[in-house]
Amino acid sequence: MAEDMFSGWGIRTLSRAERRYNAIGYHLGTVWPHDNSIAVLGLTRYGYRTEANRISLALLEAAEHFDYRLPEALTGFQRERIIFPVPYPTACSPQAWATGTPLALVRSMVGIEPVDGKLVVDPDIPAELGRITADRIRAFGKLWEIEAVGTSGHVRLASG
């Protein structure tokens, strides 16, 4: 989360402090939404919810600039200097693994996990998002509904 690694749109593949850093270098400073979603899930798992939410919000805000379809990679330019995320020049969009990013971010914020044949939640929903709900989540041969606001949430079996 150091400034040389976090662009404001996500975590870079290489620190700005490195000699080889290049904001438009494929693996030399770009931001990969998919890789960031894996980092978010790891941060959440180890209790770094504030940091995970900071990255999640940055990626969701970036998605707004791409009709909510994140590209394969973004340039690593600092957000304070360029007010919109710049896609990597030859980034694929859609890109299969990038399409899973928002689902991983929501999973992190809701804190949804399968436990002993049921779904449980441990939410930490940023105030900017307010509330997250999902209906008809299939798990354990059943359909579930979830709702989370702030650090409160509940799971129930879907009716019907």
Side-chain angles (χ1 to χ4, degrees):
M1 296 307 298
E3 187 178 319
D4 61 312
M5 287 298 294
F6 185 71
S7 72
W9 299 112
I11 302 168
R12 297 178 176 99
T13 54
L14 189 66
S15 163
R16 280 189 328 187
E18 296 292 328
R19 288 181 64 204
R20 296 195 59 199
Y21 169 76
N22 178 349
I24 58 172
Y26 196 59
H27 287 291
L28 299 175
T30 49
V31 173
W32 289 63
H34 170 261
D35 292 358
N36 274 254
S37 72
I38 294 169
V40 163
L41 290 170
L43 287 166
T44 298
R45 181 180 189 124
Y46 291 102
Y48 295 95
R49 302 296 289 271
T50 300
E51 294 83 352
N53 282 344
R54 183 174 179 209
I55 297 165
S56 295
L57 287 174
L59 288 168
L60 292 173
E61 290 166 3
E64 291 177 25
H65 295 273
F66 301 103
D67 292 326
Y68 298 97
R69 186 169 82 183
L70 287 164
E72 172 186 17
L74 307 170
T75 60
F77 294 120
Q78 194 64 25
R79 185 173 183 168
E80 289 78 31
R81 297 190 67 203
I82 298 178
I83 60 172
F84 56 89
V86 177
Y88 178 77
T90 59
C92 294
S93 184
Q95 173 66 279
W97 58 65
T99 62
T101 296
L103 296 173
L105 303 180
V106 168
R107 178 180 180 192
S108 166
M109 289 183 273
V110 172
I112 191 167
E113 292 290 337
V115 176
D116 297 329
K118 60 184 176 183
L119 296 179
V120 297
V121 295
D122 178 22
D124 187 359
I125 310 301
E128 295 88 339
L129 296 181
R131 173 176 166 243
I132 295 177
T133 63
D135 297 328
R136 302 181 53 80
I137 299 171
R138 187 173 302 278
F140 307 109
K142 301 173 184 165
L143 295 176
W144 305 81
E145 297 174 350
I146 63 165
E147 180 175 14
V149 178
T151 56
S152 299
H154 64 269
V155 179
R156 65 179 167 264
L157 285 172
S159 56

